[in-house]
Amino acid sequence: MKKYVFGTVVLLAAALLFLRHRENGKRHELSFFAMDTPVTLTAYGPAAPRGLRDAEEAVRKIERELSVTMPTSAVARLNTGETLPAASAAGRAITAALELCAETDGAFDPTLYPALRAWGFTTGEYRVPSRDELTELLKQCGVRHLRREGGSLRLEAGAMIDLGGLGKGLASDVAAQALKDAGVESAVLNLGGNVRTLGARPGGGRWRIGVRAPEDGLLGVIETDEGAVVTSGNYERFFERDGVRYWHILDPKTGEPARSGVVSVTVCGPNGERCDALSTAYFVMGPQKAAAFWKERGSESFVMLTDNGDLFVCEDLAGRFTVDQERKNAKVTVIRR
Ligand code: AMP
Ligand code: MG
């Protein structure tokens, strides 16, 4: 009798352990549209359903604060002349953006909205502004137009802030934190090419993040621990006029699409907001300047595809990036410190 009881207890314990293990590895997914992009959040384990709801709310909250096209957002109100507390979420994001502008010698510039708007990139009403028009509009761009008065931020008339270059990365960090707070230990979040992982992959090993190729399909796969893998590409948002392609990443010096020879650049690092801003900045810099910047500053590493099909890979990513079979003959330059 004792033997049977013991046997039953052992069996029950094993079944419970099995069920718990299965629940810990159970995959939950939530997809929605926010920040002008499709978002897919994947989380594992019993805390995932609540964590995913919190993460969605966190992303929507960031959107409500930072959106340049929602008239009620904190950024939109700043853009129409209202003051904004520097300590608010939007105020802190703007301060971080200004620091990244200084750090990248102006390649990342959150004050380009007057020029960006003229191209129609946020409205979809595309047009090619004349050189004279852009020269005029560039006078309204530049961080000098943002004033800090006590604890408040204010813009001079005509100047406008746009955090489109780092907003999704910031949202991915905030969503990852919401999942963590809910008790989720393992998740992968994709906000339109801004990927953020949390914890380790269920079953062990590094996360394998596919990097989109411009013509669909994959450019390659990056292996990563917890952190961000953020891609900026000229195929994300563009239009064509008379056979010329115009895209949404502008060179702050000209107000025109940055023609640095870059098609896409993927940045890896611990922080999504920084990786997002740097992906935009590296795109503007092009391969030579980005490599020099990376060497000099020890900034986040990247994989870059140029318009002649060449790849540039920072040395600490070289062992973690596998180029897709379709491009196995591409010239790959490893950038060393
Ligand atoms: P991303 O896709 O992260 O490279 O961000 C592109 C978005 O950032 C654009 O849609 C604009 O809203 C904004 N943007 C464009 N050019 C720049 C720039 N040089 N610096 C900062 N933000 C930019
Ligand atoms: Mg970016």
Side-chain angles (χ1 to χ4, degrees):
M1 181 63 189
K2 243 184 182 171
K3 219 162 100 188
Y4 286 125
V5 172
F6 181 70
T8 313
V9 169
V10 168
L11 265 177
L12 266 173
L16 276 174
L17 267 176
F18 172 75
L19 283 174
R20 213 176 128 194
H21 178 74
R22 214 175 59 171
E23 185 50 37
N24 277 341
K26 195 166 166 199
R27 185 173 187 274
H28 299 261
E29 196 177 285
L30 182 65
S31 293
F32 54 96
F33 194 85
M35 305 186 88
D36 219 12
T37 202
V39 177
T40 301
L41 312 178
T42 310
Y44 298 84
R50 206 197 104 202
L52 287 172
R53 280 196 301 276
D54 292 354
E56 176 179 358
E57 184 43 37
V59 171
R60 295 203 184 277
K61 195 166 166 215
I62 289 283
E63 181 180 28
R64 286 196 297 270
E65 297 272 330
L66 304 190
S67 168
V68 77
T69 50
M70 279 184 186
T72 51
S73 84
V75 168
R77 284 188 280 124
L78 178 75
N79 286 349
T80 51
E82 286 185 35
T83 56
L84 174 74
S88 64
R92 278 182 282 128
I94 291 170
T95 304
L98 295 181
E99 283 166 11
L100 282 151
C101 181
E103 184 181 336
T104 60
D105 298 326
F108 178 85
D109 188 336
T111 69
L112 288 175
Y113 195 58
L116 191 87
R117 200 169 63 154
W119 290 92
F121 283 115
T122 41
T123 56
E125 286 158 29
Y126 298 126
R127 57 186 277 272
V128 181
S130 70
R131 196 49 260 163
D132 284 351
E133 184 182 350
L134 288 173
T135 304
E136 269 315 295
L137 288 172
L138 282 181
K139 291 179 186 161
Q140 295 164 24
C141 304
V143 293
R144 65 187 180 282
H145 297 298
L146 183 74
R147 296 286 161 91
R148 193 180 281 266
E149 292 160 354
S152 296
L153 300 174
R154 196 178 59 77
L155 282 168
E156 288 171 3
M160 283 182 264
I161 292 281
D162 158 40
L163 298 177
L166 59 65
K168 283 179 264 171
L170 171 61
S172 76
D173 290 336
V174 174
Q177 188 60 48
L179 284 158
K180 212 172 184 173
D181 292 346
V184 173
E185 291 172 357
S186 176
V188 57
L189 320 176
N190 189 346
L191 293 83
N194 283 246
V195 177
R196 180 73 159 75
T197 61
L198 175 69
R201 194 164 64 97
R206 281 178 158 154
W207 297 96
R208 291 172 54 77
I209 310 299
V211 178
R212 210 196 112 178
E215 65 280 2
D216 286 344
L218 284 186
L219 181 64
V221 172
I222 288 183
E223 290 178 38
T224 183
D225 300 317
E226 178 168 316
V229 179
V230 177
T231 302
S232 282
N234 67 5
Y235 49 82
E236 281 168 9
R237 185 159 307 175
F238 66 88
F239 67 95
E240 279 172 14
R241 285 284 182 283
D242 303 325
V244 182
R245 188 180 274 214
Y246 301 93
W247 49 81
H248 67 312
I249 301 174
L250 303 185
D251 183 338
K253 291 203 177 84
T254 61
E256 293 181 31
R259 298 195 188 272
S260 56
V262 179
V263 172
S264 80
V265 55
T266 301
V267 181
C268 296
N271 181 279
E273 183 182 20
R274 268 187 71 79
C275 288
D276 195 355
L278 286 173
S279 70
T280 309
Y282 289 155
F283 189 103
V284 172
M285 291 178 195
Q288 275 76 31
K289 277 193 192 153
F293 180 89
W294 175 83
K295 283 184 204 180
E296 207 175 288
R297 316 279 175 106
S299 56
E300 282 78 347
S301 296
F302 61 85
V303 172
M304 188 180 272
L305 172 70
T306 55
D307 51 16
N308 53 4
D310 292 349
L311 282 161
F312 292 82
V313 184
C314 294
E315 62 179 343
D316 43 337
L317 279 182
R320 296 200 273 132
F321 174 67
T322 312
V323 64
D324 190 70
Q325 271 299 313
E326 292 276 311
R327 289 177 186 267
K328 62 179 190 303
N329 295 325
K331 182 178 164 212
V332 180
T333 305
V334 177
I335 308 165
R336 303 193 187 277
R337 293 234 187 252

